Structures are given as structure tokens and as C-alpha cells.
Amino acid sequence: MSDIAVESTNKKKGLGRGLGSLLGGPAPADIPVAKPTVEVKAPIAPPVTAATATTTIQNPTPAPAPVAPPVDPESKIWKVGIDKLQSGQYQPRQHFEKEPLQELAQSIKENGILQPIVARRTTSGKLEIVAGERRWRAAQLAGLHEVPVILRSFTDKEALELAIVENIQREDLNPIEEAEGYSRLISEFKLSQQQVAEKVGRDRATVANAVRLLSLPEEVKTMISENTLSVGHAKVLLSLPEQKKQIELAKKVVNEKIAVRKLEKMVQAIVKGDEEELEVPTFDSNVTQRLISGLSDELQKILGTKVNIDYSNSKGKISIHFYSDDELTQFVDRLKEGWQ
């Protein structure tokens, strides 16, 4: 029995020495015998399952949320009641044609307002439109109650500059409205013509010529605004010293459809004092119209279809109507017969 006990002891010592050498601990002979102690059990953690492991990986401790930078109030788009806005006192555009406004209103009904209106708050607290008055007017026709608005802090000068630039870029201003806008920048805000040109992206000569149009009589300026008299004709009329002559020739240009080159010769004759050159033989308008109407009737009988003659100042065009392919063929055949 004693031999067995010794052998068992030796095996334990060999096993202990091997673990010590692997773990780097002291040899078993040097390890003191531990005294019995009272065992205090720590709380048992719940077992780690696949679900809890995945949750731990996917839901780590949340990092603090980044703080968004403050939004610039002048970059924000506001929804504003349409009745809270009012026309801008520096709006250069005075005429809003009905038909284009109706077309814009229909587009707004279908697509909404694609570009916000720009407005500023006045000292009285009202919202004054700086850019986008056409959109505001069309929105009213479309039955909208609110419109998108960007609120900016503009000075009076900045408001006028922006309104002019926006309308010029859209080609919404007639020549007189554009000239009046330039004139306000010069007179009210003490800008030079060169400074105005730089502000609105025009050359100085364009600004200077535009402002000169304002010296014409009101009757002539109305013709320009209504597009019955061209800016080219108006520039020629500026060479006349008397406004009475300017009005007289402007009416003559509109009624007789006089070309710019011919008007230049007429004005040169007046300036030289040789107004006999102005006497150009013309038919009485009523007599001329009767003659043209008679010619139209004769051609209609010959060709067997409706004929219109557009005549003015010894120039014009003949319009021949046809209502089917057969009529066109017959008309061409008659022309061929006439040429042969």
C-alpha cells in the first residue's frame, strides 16, 4: 500500500511542475498550503448568447450627436401669406401684361412657384417685395394663399439694384422702365453712369443712351413703352432740338412705317433747315387702302381664292389662301400657265 501512495505522490508532483513551467509560476514544492477560507461568490453574469453579442456589437455606447450649425435666417425659405406682401417701392417695372401673367398663373397652378420671392421687412413691419412681383401677382391669379419667400435685409439702394438686375436678366423691362431705373440709381443714390453700368452688368454707353431717352416728350416715351416706336428711331429723334418736331416725326414714323435710315435723312434735313427734302409724295391713306382693296378683289377673281395685300410705304406682301391640296395644285397650275 505504501508503494502505491508514493507513486501517486510522485505523479502529482510531476504534473504540478509541468503546469508551473508553462504558466511561469513557482515550483509546487515552494507553494504554501492554502488555508481554508470563506468563499464569497460574485454575482453570476448572464450567459453571453449570440443575440446579446450581436446587440452589443451593433449597439455600442452612442456617441454624442453632432450639433448642427445654426441656420442663417436670410437663407431660410418661409411660407408667407400672400396678403402679407406688398409691391416694392423701388420696382422699376410699371406694366404687367395680362396675357403673359395669365400664362405664368397657369404654370404656377400646375408646378407651383419654383423660385422663391425675395422680400425685405420695412420699418413699419410690412414685407416689401424686392424681386419676384410677377410671381406674386400670378400666384394671386392662381388662387394661392401662401408663397415661398426669402427675407433679406436690403438698403433702399440694394433693393433698387436687385430689382433692376433681375428684370434686365429676364428681359422684362421695356426701354423706358429700364432707363428710369438707371436714372433713379443716379439721382437718388448719387451713382455715376459707370458705377450703374458695373452694378447691372452693362457698358457705360448703354446706360448713357438709355437715360437720354427720358428727355423725349411723354407722348414719344409712351410709343416706345408700347413698342410701336423702336429705340433706334427714338435715338434719331433725340437729334431734334424741338419736342414738337420729335412728336410730329414720331407719329409719322408709326403711321407710315418709316425706316430708321430714312428717318435719319429727314432729321438731317430739318437740322440743316432744308425741310423741302421731307416732302415725300405719298397717297392719302384712305385712297391707298381703297386701291389695295380693289387689287385684292381682282386677284381673288383671277386666282379663285382669298387674297390679302399688306401694303405700307410702297412695300408689302401678298398672301394667297388655299384650303386643300387640290386648291394648292390648281393655284400652282394657273401660275405656270401665266408664266408660259
Side-chain angles (χ1 to χ4, degrees), residues 87-99:
S87 298
Q89 61 175 315
Y90 293 105
Q91 167 62 259
R93 185 172 184 175
Q94 303 300 320
H95 304 283
F96 295 86
E97 296 182 13
K98 185 175 180 181
E99 187 174 341

Side-chain angles (χ1 to χ4, degrees), residues 87 91 93-109 132-143 167 172:
S87 298
Q91 167 62 259
R93 185 172 184 175
Q94 303 300 320
H95 304 283
F96 295 86
E97 296 182 13
K98 185 175 180 181
E99 187 174 341
L101 209 57
Q102 290 284 2
E103 292 175 359
L104 180 57
Q106 184 60 37
S107 174
I108 288 175
K109 281 183 181 179
E133 185 163 338
R134 275 187 79 242
R135 276 163 275 160
W136 175 61
R137 289 173 180 263
Q140 295 178 63
L141 293 176
N167 282 285
D172 283 343

Side-chain angles (χ1 to χ4, degrees), residues 19-123:
L19 285 175
S21 64
L22 290 175
L23 300 176
D30 301 327
I31 299 175
V33 178
K35 295 181 180 180
T37 57
V38 178
E39 183 179 4
V40 179
K41 294 185 179 181
I44 300 174
V48 178
T49 63
T52 56
T54 303
T55 304
T56 304
I57 295 171
Q58 292 182 350
N59 299 294
T61 303
V67 179
V71 178
D72 182 3
E74 295 197 357
S75 300
K76 185 176 179 180
I77 299 177
W78 305 84
K79 284 288 187 181
V80 176
I82 205 164
D83 58 333
K84 304 297 182 184
L85 295 166
Q86 65 179 23
S87 298
Q89 61 175 315
Y90 293 105
Q91 167 62 259
R93 185 172 184 175
Q94 303 300 320
H95 304 283
F96 295 86
E97 296 182 13
K98 185 175 180 181
E99 187 174 341
L101 209 57
Q102 290 284 2
E103 292 175 359
L104 180 57
Q106 184 60 37
S107 174
I108 288 175
K109 281 183 181 179
E110 296 175 3
N111 307 303
I113 297 180
L114 303 181
Q115 183 177 355
I117 295 166
V118 179
R120 64 172 183 161
R121 194 178 297 278
T122 63
T123 53

Side-chain angles (χ1 to χ4, degrees), residues 257-290:
K257 294 182 171 55
I258 296 174
V260 174
R261 294 300 180 193
K262 185 175 180 180
L263 179 61
E264 287 176 347
K265 294 179 179 178
M266 296 169 70
V267 169
Q268 288 171 4
I270 293 175
V271 172
K272 291 177 182 178
D274 189 6
E275 298 193 26
E276 291 182 1
E277 296 184 18
L278 296 177
E279 300 301 326
V280 180
T282 57
F283 291 105
D284 178 80
S285 59
N286 292 330
V287 174
T288 302
Q289 189 57 45
R290 286 197 296 271

Side-chain angles (χ1 to χ4, degrees), residues 61-326:
T61 303
V67 179
V71 178
D72 182 3
E74 295 197 357
S75 300
K76 185 176 179 180
I77 299 177
W78 305 84
K79 284 288 187 181
V80 176
I82 205 164
D83 58 333
K84 304 297 182 184
L85 295 166
Q86 65 179 23
S87 298
Q89 61 175 315
Y90 293 105
Q91 167 62 259
R93 185 172 184 175
Q94 303 300 320
H95 304 283
F96 295 86
E97 296 182 13
K98 185 175 180 181
E99 187 174 341
L101 209 57
Q102 290 284 2
E103 292 175 359
L104 180 57
Q106 184 60 37
S107 174
I108 288 175
K109 281 183 181 179
E110 296 175 3
N111 307 303
I113 297 180
L114 303 181
Q115 183 177 355
I117 295 166
V118 179
R120 64 172 183 161
R121 194 178 297 278
T122 63
T123 53
S124 62
K126 295 181 179 179
L127 299 181
E128 180 183 273
I129 296 173
V130 176
E133 185 163 338
R134 275 187 79 242
R135 276 163 275 160
W136 175 61
R137 289 173 180 263
Q140 295 178 63
L141 293 176
L144 269 62
H145 299 293
E146 291 182 332
V147 290
V149 175
I150 296 176
L151 294 177
R152 296 278 176 85
S153 300
F154 288 117
T155 64
D156 290 349
K157 184 180 76 170
E158 290 169 339
L160 178 56
E161 288 172 2
L162 180 62
I164 292 174
V165 170
E166 189 210 26
N167 282 285
I168 287 175
Q169 288 176 346
R170 296 173 180 272
E171 298 182 352
D172 283 343
L173 297 178
N174 66 54
I176 298 301
E177 290 172 335
E178 184 175 339
E180 287 173 344
Y182 296 155
S183 179
R184 291 188 73 175
L185 285 172
I186 292 168
S187 60
E188 295 182 29
F189 302 107
K190 311 305 178 187
L191 297 182
S192 65
Q193 289 183 351
Q194 181 61 42
Q195 288 173 322
V196 172
E198 292 171 357
K199 293 283 186 183
V200 300
R202 291 281 198 265
D203 58 71
R204 194 203 64 79
T206 300
V207 173
N209 288 330
V211 173
R212 286 181 65 214
L213 296 177
L214 300 180
S215 64
L216 290 167
E218 288 299 326
E219 194 168 351
V220 177
K221 288 193 287 187
T222 299
M223 294 180 192
I224 299 171
S225 296
E226 294 175 351
N227 203 29
T228 56
L229 185 73
S230 75
V231 173
H233 287 99
K235 288 178 181 177
V236 176
L237 293 175
L238 285 167
S239 302
L240 292 171
E242 297 180 10
Q243 290 197 340
K244 183 179 178 181
K245 279 292 184 184
Q246 290 174 340
I247 296 172
E248 180 183 326
L249 273 186
K251 289 180 178 179
K252 194 175 185 71
V253 167
V254 173
N255 294 332
E256 300 179 16
K257 294 182 171 55
I258 296 174
V260 174
R261 294 300 180 193
K262 185 175 180 180
L263 179 61
E264 287 176 347
K265 294 179 179 178
M266 296 169 70
V267 169
Q268 288 171 4
I270 293 175
V271 172
K272 291 177 182 178
D274 189 6
E275 298 193 26
E276 291 182 1
E277 296 184 18
L278 296 177
E279 300 301 326
V280 180
T282 57
F283 291 105
D284 178 80
S285 59
N286 292 330
V287 174
T288 302
Q289 189 57 45
R290 286 197 296 271
L291 290 172
I292 296 301
S293 179
L295 289 173
S296 298
D297 293 340
E298 286 184 28
L299 286 173
Q300 185 167 327
K301 290 175 183 177
I302 294 171
L303 299 174
T305 186
K306 183 179 178 182
V307 177
N308 290 333
I309 300 178
D310 184 6
Y311 175 89
S312 175
N313 197 28
S314 302
K315 298 178 183 178
K317 63 182 179 180
I318 298 175
S319 300
I320 302 172
H321 299 249
F322 62 89
Y323 303 95
S324 68
D325 292 342
D326 291 338

